[in-house]
Amino acid sequence: MSLKSIAPMLYTRQVRESVDFYINNLGFTCIGYDEDWGWATVSRDDIEIMLALPVDNASFTIPKFTGSFYIRTDKVDLLWSELKDRAVICYPIEDFNYGMREFGVFDYNGYLLQFGMPIE
């Protein structure tokens, strides 16, 4: 047995607006959407992110996540050039002493997405 992938499910009260942000600002494609279910999946390359209305028994007031979603890429500078004017920047592209070149942006709901690659 082995684990194959992870697709985070991000709660939002605005599924359609969130999907539109991922498409128009981050270059994702919507690969699944059901308004009745309050659910969607967006993808870009090998990354999938689900967006959904909170489940009925979840205590949900605002989008919250105490960490970040770290997405590895092989061309972080190219991605930075593409995204820097299309999202709210958490921190600009930078080389870090732990061996990664990365940047961070916030999505429509305020979830932190970090993009990075090893420094060669």
Side-chain angles (χ1 to χ4, degrees):
M1 176 187 82
S2 64
L3 303 177
K4 299 294 184 182
S5 66
I6 187 169
M9 171 97 58
L10 306 182
Y11 286 161
T12 179
R13 295 258 183 235
Q14 300 170 313
V15 175
R16 180 78 256 165
E17 293 86 347
S18 300
V19 168
D20 290 345
F21 177 86
Y22 274 85
I23 291 169
N24 298 323
N25 296 72
L26 302 181
F28 280 67
T29 301
C30 184
I31 60 170
Y33 180 78
D34 191 305
E35 190 171 348
D36 292 334
W37 291 355
W39 166 90
T41 298
V42 294
S43 73
R44 179 168 175 173
D45 303 319
D46 294 329
I47 301 299
E48 286 188 8
I49 297 173
M50 292 184 280
L51 303 155
L53 293 173
V55 294
D56 290 336
N57 59 356
S59 84
F60 179 85
T61 54
I62 61 170
K64 59 187 177 262
F65 182 73
T66 60
S68 68
F69 298 95
Y70 198 94
I71 301 168
R72 294 180 186 267
T73 180
D74 58 354
K75 293 192 167 68
V76 73
D77 289 285
L78 185 62
L79 192 58
W80 168 250
S81 294
E82 177 188 334
L83 301 183
K84 67 181 176 157
D85 298 323
R86 301 170 123 191
V88 175
I89 305 301
C90 176
Y91 62 94
I93 195 160
E94 184 179 342
D95 291 342
F96 289 89
N97 60 4
Y98 46 83
M100 295 298 285
R101 181 164 177 77
E102 65 187 46
F103 67 92
V105 301
F106 294 105
D107 81 350
Y108 180 81
N109 297 286
Y111 293 110
L112 175 56
L113 307 174
Q114 294 174 269
F115 299 89
M117 64 179 277
I119 298 170
E120 296 179 7

